[in-house]
Amino acid sequence: MPTDDDEKTILRNVLDQLRNSIADKVDGVPEPQVRTGGVPSGTSLLGLLKHLASVERFYFLGEEPADWQATMRPSAEDTVESLRAEYRKTVERANVIIDACPDLKLPAPRARRRGPVPSMRWVLVHMIEETGRHAGHADILRERIDGTTGR
């Protein structure tokens, strides 16, 4: 990854690397393990992927889910293929918004809420933190399922 790029490119490249990591973490995990909670909270690999798609839509597309808790629970109809495709499509849409932003000081799109709208810089840094944290969770869940480690 080049280190002499502009700030937005560096932030987006780091975020994209984490996004790819979480999307790839579900590869080869059979049912029902991919949707089964691997820790007492019930967090699963599919739940993490579904949740992160919702977070991307919230921060970059201004779409707030009706129930944040539900974003962590895949439905019976959700599959690895459907949720990964949804996540990748959401990321593509988010990247259009990021790329179109001429100045990271400008506000990011946001669902109607009270309070100040965060800057695109803040949202990018927050999404790196959010995606990185959940990618770490996915690493642990995947290792518990079949011993697979790494990105």
Side-chain angles (χ1 to χ4, degrees), residues 114-126:
R114 292 185 184 163
V117 177
S119 69
M120 182 60 80
R121 177 181 289 108
W122 184 92
V123 169
L124 282 166
V125 170
H126 175 71

Side-chain angles (χ1 to χ4, degrees), residues 33-46:
Q33 291 91 341
V34 74
R35 72 178 59 249
T36 302
V39 293
S41 68
T43 301
S44 71
L45 288 171
L46 276 186

Side-chain angles (χ1 to χ4, degrees), residues 5 14-15 34 37 39 41 48 51 54 56 60 62 78 85 94 96 101 110 113 117 121 127 130 142 144 150:
D5 285 332
V14 170
L15 181 56
V34 74
V39 293
S41 68
L48 289 171
H51 173 70
S54 295
E56 292 265 352
F60 293 117
D78 289 330
V96 169
C101 182
R110 182 172 179 187
R113 294 184 134 201
V117 177
R121 177 181 289 108
M127 285 305 300
E130 176 89 2
R142 181 66 190 258
R144 290 192 60 167

Side-chain angles (χ1 to χ4, degrees), residues 54-109:
S54 295
V55 176
E56 292 265 352
R57 282 192 299 273
F58 175 72
Y59 279 109
F60 293 117
L61 307 174
E63 300 172 14
E64 186 162 13
D67 178 2
W68 276 105
Q69 292 293 343
T71 68
M72 290 293 285
R73 295 185 301 271
S75 71
E77 295 79 30
D78 289 330
T79 65
V80 169
E81 294 78 20
S82 69
L83 286 181
R84 187 174 29 223
E86 176 187 335
Y87 182 67
R88 291 205 187 275
K89 182 178 179 181
T90 300
V91 165
E92 286 176 19
R93 291 174 59 208
N95 282 345
V96 169
I97 300 299
I98 295 165
D99 293 345
C101 182
D103 185 340
L104 295 180
K105 294 178 191 170
L106 293 174

Side-chain angles (χ1 to χ4, degrees), residues 6-24:
D6 63 276
E7 180 185 17
K8 181 169 67 170
T9 301
I10 291 169
L11 292 173
R12 177 152 158 227
N13 286 344
V14 170
L15 181 56
D16 281 342
Q17 190 174 41
L18 292 167
R19 289 162 160 169
N20 288 329
S21 175
I22 194 85
D24 292 344

